Amino acid sequence: MRHWTEDLEDDADEPLVRPYTITGGRTTAGRDDLTLITLITVRATPGTDTAAGRPALQPEHRAVLRLCARRPVAVAEIAAELDLPVSVTKILIGDLIDAGRVRARPPLAFAHNGAHSDMTILEAVRDGLRGL
């Protein structure tokens, strides 16, 4: 089965998978906490994909799990690696979060201890760029 972004000239007899078929017809993610820089990590859960009444995962879901197995990966990176639109990727990640397979967290802030405010950091970056 070919991905929807692949060249249409090669293997024209194979069926083409469109993004709405990957998401079951859903066009928007049910979550509003997923941004391009949200980091996704795999949760350690025992059992198989069909354990505890969970439905079997689609190949795209399993690809997300493989990508995030070693280190946290940003939503934008996952979308780029899978060659899927970000909106479709967010839906897939939302499915995995709901199933308890992955966890999402915002990227760590630069200064949690209050040593530097966000404005101080931005000003330092601005001054550094001007110095180039």
Side-chain angles (χ1 to χ4, degrees), residues 42-70:
V42 173
R43 287 184 159 191
T45 55
T48 62
D49 292 343
T50 56
R54 288 185 298 220
L57 297 177
Q58 294 181 32
E60 293 79 11
H61 288 115
R62 288 192 294 274
V64 171
L65 291 173
R66 277 192 305 274
L67 284 172
C68 302
R70 293 184 183 167

Side-chain angles (χ1 to χ4, degrees), residues 70-116:
R70 293 184 183 167
R71 63 176 178 85
V73 182
V75 171
E77 290 179 79
I78 295 170
E81 189 67 33
L82 296 181
D83 199 19
L84 289 173
V86 172
S87 59
V88 172
T89 305
K90 286 181 180 181
I91 293 169
L92 295 172
I93 292 169
D95 292 345
L96 292 170
I97 291 170
D98 293 343
R101 302 296 300 266
V102 298
R103 159 184 8 202
R105 70 168 174 82
L108 299 176
F110 285 104
H112 285 292
N113 60 5
H116 296 286

